[in-house]
Amino acid sequence: APGIPVKERVKVSQNWSHGRCRRETVLKWKCKQVAFSSFLMPWMELSDEYLYLSQAENIQAYRLCPDGTGLQRHPQAIFSGHQEDVCRFVLVNSHIVSGGGDGSIVLHKIHGSYSVKFSAHEQEVNCVDFQGGLIVSGSRDRTAKVWSLSPGRVGQCLHTVQTEDRVWSIAISPLLSSFVTGTACCAHTSPLRIWDLESGQLLTCLGTDFHRGAGVLDVFYETPSLVLSCGYDTYIRYWDIRTSTRKCIQEWEEPHDSALYCIRSDKNHMIASGSSYYGVVRLWDKRQTRCLQSFHLSSPTSSPVYCLRFSTTHLYAALASALHVLDFTA
């Protein structure tokens, strides 16, 4: 927490522990009516100065207020290129890489007009990650692919991995040697698998005895050997690849038996998770077995928490029709 006085740091830490915060709905939007359901599944990324939020086929950049009071209500920049909704995107080294329902991947340079779009999958691109000049993507078409961004080879597919299942989540290891996929766990019994980034070959599976449908909706690397996962089976699992790939070292169950759509950690003791009903955000302490705090952000209309991000002092949660912020400096 650079620049924050020690006394203020202690206060903010206590506020997180005891759930003391000021809640605010900072953005609202209308859900699209599609067939029999209304789906708008926003995703976001957080930098020091901006919050990037996907809304339908665009990604919008909102400047964070320097006084810590939230964010400006009008976007400073809009990144477009997809013909259908953005499913997920990542922010890495001043670049945004997004996957969309149109099966394409779009690369934007934040400070400039440079952008590249290429057709990636036969169906929607559910997840992407970008590290070290490589993009990995996962799709409903039951494949994961590795793409080059090297000069002269931009958009060239290096490997296609047959996952046998819809790919919901994907992440590149910090060592840039492998990547993990989280799949739907319908046709294949292992929803969490690690693949070699250079060859595309399967390295290992994480866990055993998963029930059918225990799909993994989000994965997060804390270190090259420590991975967090969550999904439809209502558990957060903490994996240490150095000790065992068969059994996680810790797990926490969502107390109301709800699927978990997203997770994030501070790479220390805290984990934040977003549930599938009533906009429930939970804070977990790895040193405890039970949930530390919970916040209900949507009532009476139920919405999943599709994505959450947090800084030292604020937590942002994106629901179907609104962006909520919890301010722990209050």
Side-chain angles (χ1 to χ4, degrees), residues 40 122 141 146 169 176 186-187 192 210 230 261 292 297 305 313:
L40 184 62
E122 296 178 2
D141 66 8
V146 181
S169 53
L176 306 181
C186 291
L192 274 171
F210 285 97
C230 71
Y261 272 53
L292 184 66
L297 301 181
V305 178
T313 55

Side-chain angles (χ1 to χ4, degrees), residues 105 120-122 124-129 135-147 157-172 179-183 191 193-197 199-202:
I105 291 174
H121 289 270
E122 296 178 2
E124 60 258 41
V125 182
N126 293 129
C127 50
V128 291
D129 199 8
I135 295 173
V136 293
S137 61
S139 171
R140 185 178 183 175
D141 66 8
R142 300 192 291 183
T143 66
K145 296 185 179 183
V146 181
W147 306 90
C157 182
L158 303 178
H159 306 293
T160 298
V161 172
Q162 302 295 331
T163 60
E164 303 176 44
D165 261 328
R166 180 175 186 159
V167 185
W168 281 116
S169 53
I170 200 164
I172 298 175
F179 65 97
V180 61
T181 55
T183 58
R193 280 170 281 173
I194 296 178
W195 312 82
D196 185 81
L197 198 55
S199 66
Q201 297 299 308
L202 178 66

Side-chain angles (χ1 to χ4, degrees), residues 14-143:
Q14 291 295 310
N15 286 346
W16 280 97
S17 297
H18 298 292
R20 292 192 296 259
C21 62
R22 180 174 58 86
R23 309 184 193 191
E24 185 181 2
T25 303
V26 291
L27 294 173
K28 290 185 177 181
W29 53 84
K30 292 183 179 179
C31 289
K32 288 197 319 183
Q33 297 295 327
V34 182
F36 298 104
S37 56
S38 58
F39 280 112
L40 184 62
M41 304 199 312
W43 197 254
M44 63 180 164
E45 293 290 351
L46 193 62
S47 71
D48 291 338
E49 297 181 349
Y50 289 92
L51 182 141
Y52 298 85
L53 176 71
S54 65
Q55 294 176 273
E57 66 272 14
N58 296 322
I59 298 169
Q60 302 182 3
Y62 296 88
R63 182 183 289 275
L64 301 173
C65 296
D67 57 1
T69 57
L71 59 110
Q72 297 179 0
R73 305 302 176 96
H74 298 286
Q76 296 285 304
I78 298 176
F79 303 93
S80 57
H82 289 284
Q83 301 303 311
E84 296 183 31
D85 288 2
V86 173
C87 296
R88 289 198 183 181
F89 69 94
V90 290
L91 171 68
V92 180
N93 297 331
S94 299
H95 289 81
I96 293 175
V97 175
S98 58
D102 55 3
S104 66
I105 291 174
V106 178
L107 167 70
H108 293 285
K109 191 165 185 176
I110 293 175
H111 306 293
S113 57
Y114 175 80
S115 65
V116 173
K117 177 180 179 179
F118 54 91
S119 179
H121 289 270
E122 296 178 2
Q123 295 178 286
E124 60 258 41
V125 182
N126 293 129
C127 50
V128 291
D129 199 8
F130 169 46
Q131 297 284 346
L134 295 174
I135 295 173
V136 293
S137 61
S139 171
R140 185 178 183 175
D141 66 8
R142 300 192 291 183
T143 66

